[in-house]
């Protein structure tokens, strides 16, 4: 099992270009007085549109494994508050109008969280969590997902035990994830000198508080929320029972499989773009070298005359 935490692995922003990053983050702190002044002036730049997405099923659809009371409390209160707080924080800043994913990456700020980070990440995490479940879920995946699970963990049963362990041992509040790790290095403009298909694998990671695998440039496939409010009404302090119920009765393996196919396709397209970019850089370099050789040769001929 591969377990990554914020203490074991430095979280680096690998998805956004560095150019202009520092200037952007310096300008994100708007005071309430500035926001009020903008509203009074009637300027049309207040465009916060992060919405509270409902779960893809009725609030009682996961019973008896997750109660309607839990969904109404967890989604209707906690998730809602993240969305409302986020919109209040980004209104009138340069985060306003960004995608939720980009808000997360920018407000992460290389580990020095900006105010919007926790609410943005928790909004994303909860949308992902609701969509990871379905009525009548659980069971066993099929197809390419099962093939990769068997390859990377030895068996589905071993994977389940390792996932349960990661979730149950996450200290305090946080998440456990199944993610697809593509062949990447956490260094700007770096290329793996020995790329291999084996570098692309499924990994289990856990993360504290609002942190999620997007910050490692991983593709999340499955998540379980182990903040206590996610299970206390149904299981009190029995986190292990909650995790077992989630895996056995609630996981939507169809959704997880779909996410895997999207992640693999994204990796293929990114590698193709990187290869094209490298070939273009090589052509430009060869052209410059040829031009320099020609100029040197022309200079030598002039000396002879």
């Amino acid at each position: 099992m591969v377990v990554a935490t914020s203490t074991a692995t430095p979280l680096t922003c690998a998805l956004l270009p560095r150019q202009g990053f520092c200037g952007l983050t310096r300008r994100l702190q708007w005071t309430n007085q500035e926001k009020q002044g903008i509203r009074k002036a009637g300027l049309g730049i207040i465009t916060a549109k992060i919405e509270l997405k409902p779960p893809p099923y009725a609030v009682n659809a996961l019973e008896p494994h997750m109660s309607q009371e839990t969904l109404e409390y967890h989604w209707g209160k906690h998730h809602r508050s993240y969305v409302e707080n986020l919109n209040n924080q980004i209104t009138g800043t340069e985060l306003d109008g960004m995608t939720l994913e980009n808000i997360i990456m920018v407000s992460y700020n290389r580990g020095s969280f900006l105010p919007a980070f926790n609410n943005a990440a928790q909004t994303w995490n909860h949308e992902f969590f609701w969509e990871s479940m379905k009525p009548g879920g659980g069971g066993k995946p099929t197809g390419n997902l099962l093939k990769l699970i068997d390859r990377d963990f030895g068996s589905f049963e071993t994977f389940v035990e390792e996932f349960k362990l990661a979730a149950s041992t996450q200290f305090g509040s946080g998440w456990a994830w199944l993610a697809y790790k593509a062949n990447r290095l956490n260094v700007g403009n770096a290329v793996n000198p020995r790329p291999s298909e084996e570098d692309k694998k499924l990994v289990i990671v856990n993360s504290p508080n609002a942190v999620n695998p997007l910050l490692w440039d991983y593709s999340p496939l499955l998540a379980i929320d182990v903040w206590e409010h996610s299970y206390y009404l149904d299981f009190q302090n029995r986190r292990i029972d909650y995790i077992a119920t989630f895996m056995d009765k609630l996981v939507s393996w169809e959704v997880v499989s779909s996410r895997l196919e999207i992640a693999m396709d994204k990796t293929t397209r990114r590698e193709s773009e990187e290869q094209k970019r490298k070939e273009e850089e090589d052509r430009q370099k060869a052209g410059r070298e040829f031009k320099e050789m020609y100029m040197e040769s022309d200079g030598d001929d002039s000396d002879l005359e």
Side-chain angles (χ1 to χ4, degrees), residues 1-285:
M1 175 178 66
V2 178
V3 177
T5 66
S6 59
T7 55
T9 304
L11 300 179
T12 56
C13 175
L15 294 181
L16 294 179
R18 294 185 179 183
Q19 185 177 7
F21 184 90
C22 294
L24 172 62
T25 56
R26 283 197 298 270
R27 295 195 298 272
L28 290 176
Q29 306 289 343
W30 286 62
T31 66
N32 289 332
Q33 184 177 4
E34 288 172 323
K35 293 178 185 177
Q36 292 171 2
I38 290 170
R39 293 190 182 99
K40 289 178 181 179
L43 300 179
I45 62 172
I46 308 301
T47 58
K49 293 181 181 178
I50 304 299
E51 297 180 353
L52 176 66
K53 292 176 62 176
Y57 36 76
V59 292
N60 63 349
L62 300 182
E63 291 187 332
H65 312 299
M66 184 175 288
S67 67
Q68 177 175 340
E69 184 181 12
T70 288
L71 262 292
E72 290 175 340
Y73 177 72
H74 193 179
W75 171 75
K77 294 187 180 295
H78 283 272
H79 189 176
R80 182 183 301 277
S81 69
Y82 296 133
V83 174
E84 292 175 350
N85 291 338
L86 174 61
N87 281 320
N88 288 333
Q89 288 171 324
I90 68 175
T91 295
T93 75
E94 293 188 23
L95 295 175
D96 204 345
M98 286 187 181
T99 65
L100 186 55
E101 289 80 3
N102 282 348
I103 293 173
I104 292 169
M105 300 309 298
V106 173
S107 63
Y108 172 65
N109 195 27
R110 308 190 193 285
S112 299
F113 299 164
L114 297 177
F117 173 76
N118 285 321
N119 285 307
Q122 283 292 74
T123 296
W124 191 96
N125 294 349
H126 281 82
E127 288 181 6
F128 190 89
F129 176 56
W130 307 132
E131 293 169 0
S132 295
M133 298 182 287
K134 71 171 187 176
K140 190 173 183 178
T142 58
N144 197 36
L145 175 60
L146 181 58
K147 179 180 178 181
L148 290 187
I149 286 175
D150 287 340
R151 184 196 71 180
D152 295 334
F153 299 100
S155 69
F156 176 70
E157 291 71 23
T158 299
F159 156 72
V160 170
E161 290 307 309
E162 293 188 5
F163 189 88
K164 288 179 178 179
L165 180 63
S168 63
T169 57
Q170 169 57 41
F171 182 76
S173 301
W175 299 78
W177 310 80
L178 173 66
Y180 180 69
K181 182 182 79 70
N183 176 35
R184 302 290 292 172
L185 296 178
N186 288 328
V187 181
N189 300 319
V191 177
N192 192 327
R194 294 185 177 179
S196 167
E197 286 301 313
E198 294 182 357
D199 293 329
K200 303 169 189 174
K201 63 177 68 175
L202 301 179
V203 294
I204 294 170
V205 295
N206 53 1
S207 62
N209 300 319
V211 171
N212 67 43
L214 295 176
L215 301 171
W216 292 297
D217 197 15
Y218 293 0
S219 296
L221 305 179
L222 175 67
I224 182 171
D225 186 350
V226 292
W227 285 63
E228 192 171 71
H229 65 244
S230 67
Y231 59 87
Y232 194 83
L233 291 178
D234 294 332
F235 295 91
Q236 286 76 52
N237 65 340
R238 304 191 313 275
R239 182 193 283 191
I240 292 176
D241 293 343
Y242 157 67
I243 296 166
T245 299
F246 174 83
M247 294 301 292
D248 296 342
K249 304 294 184 181
L250 293 173
V251 173
S252 174
W253 291 115
E254 293 82 3
V255 168
V256 179
S257 294
S258 177
R259 289 168 174 167
L260 174 62
E261 297 306 315
I262 292 171
M264 295 177 71
D265 179 65
K266 175 184 174 183
T267 298
T268 299
R269 286 187 284 107
R270 183 164 63 178
E271 288 177 343
S272 176
E273 292 169 359
E274 290 175 346
Q275 182 61 31
K276 290 178 181 178
R277 184 166 58 249
K278 184 177 183 302
E279 291 173 354
E280 178 61 26
E281 291 172 353
D282 290 344
R283 282 195 295 269
Q284 293 178 1
K285 180 180 179 181

Side-chain angles (χ1 to χ4, degrees), residues 296-305:
E296 290 175 359
S297 175
D298 188 56
D300 292 343
D301 291 344
S302 298
D303 291 341
L304 291 175
E305 293 177 1

